[in-house]
Amino acid sequence: MSSLVKEVTEAFHQFAKSDWRKQSVSGIKSSEVRVLLCLKMLANENEHGVNVSDISKRLSVTSPTVTQMVKSLMAEGYVERYNDPRDKRITLLRLTEKGEAAAQKAYERFTVVFTGLVERLGEEQSRSLIVLLNQIYNYFVEIADTDE
């Protein structure tokens, strides 16, 4: 393994170990926080409502996984189900008042974290980071497509 490959590998391992995405908010698991934030975003984008498959697509996880998280969030009073007024057969999801507050707190926390990152890196390095992260993402998408 070349020295540069080893350095890139170490940098990815170090980043993964930092657990920056795994911090809970208000005692809610990080994966459930992502569901709350996703539900909030999708609700703002879609006036007709949000269902499990919408969240599943946006987060790139299976519907059964989202369903389990939604059940947990419902049990804790963060999310509620309701019937689509246009078609009673369709079940939609929305944040409760408690869910809105938790999603807002999580959003504010992520904003503080990424504002701090931009301030530390400065504008030029932040823009370079965006370009590099997009290139990394595209590379991983390409190699994932070739594995199938």
Side-chain angles (χ1 to χ4, degrees), residues 114-129:
F114 283 100
T115 298
L117 179 61
V118 168
E119 287 171 358
R120 173 158 304 179
L121 295 176
E123 184 175 346
E124 185 178 333
Q125 284 186 310
S126 294
R127 292 194 185 284
S128 295
L129 177 62

Side-chain angles (χ1 to χ4, degrees), residues 46-51 81-94:
N46 186 353
E47 69 218 28
H48 298 299
V50 179
N51 61 37
R81 292 179 193 251
Y82 67 100
N83 289 329
D84 186 335
R86 296 168 299 137
D87 185 343
K88 300 288 185 201
R89 298 169 297 172
I90 299 173
T91 302
L92 300 173
L93 303 168
R94 65 178 158 224

